[in-house]
Amino acid sequence: MKDILEIASMEIGVKEKKGKGNNPRIIQYAKDTGFDNYKSDDSHWCSLFMNWCAHEAGLERSYSLGARSWLRVGMPITNPELGDVVV
């Protein structure tokens, strides 16, 4: 299984498509993680991306498109390290 940082790094450069249409890669993140209601890359996709990375790494996910949903995942720390999700 790949490390979550390796997974995220492989996606560097993915961005929403300007104007009409959507970046198919972002829409695929939604399909892969079961967010069937996510239809447009105009919507914020930070939590979607983190859910996808965690899914790919076999880690716990927030199952929400809200960034603050990540406050309920894992455990709080005071000294974040490389690979930690910071909200």
Side-chain angles (χ1 to χ4, degrees):
M1 189 167 304
K2 290 184 180 177
D3 174 85
I4 194 167
L5 287 177
E6 181 182 351
I7 292 164
S9 295
M10 301 272 297
E11 302 298 310
I12 290 175
V14 173
K15 57 187 173 184
E16 56 272 2
K17 191 173 184 181
K18 293 184 186 220
K20 292 189 176 192
N22 298 298
N23 182 326
R25 187 66 180 146
I26 296 172
I27 301 304
Q28 189 63 51
Y29 298 151
K31 288 180 184 175
D32 290 350
T33 53
F35 290 106
D36 298 329
N37 59 334
Y38 189 92
K39 304 290 185 199
S40 170
D41 67 11
D42 288 336
S43 300
H44 297 291
W45 55 282
C46 54
S47 184
L48 169 63
F49 180 69
M50 286 307 305
N51 271 282
W52 180 81
C53 289
H55 170 73
E56 293 295 303
L59 299 172
E60 184 179 3
R61 300 185 281 151
S62 78
Y63 296 94
S64 170
L65 294 174
R68 293 185 59 80
S69 67
W70 288 92
L71 293 171
R72 298 184 303 269
V73 177
M75 60 185 174
I77 58 169
T78 56
N79 297 312
E81 297 179 9
L82 192 61
D84 290 344
V85 176
V86 178
V87 179

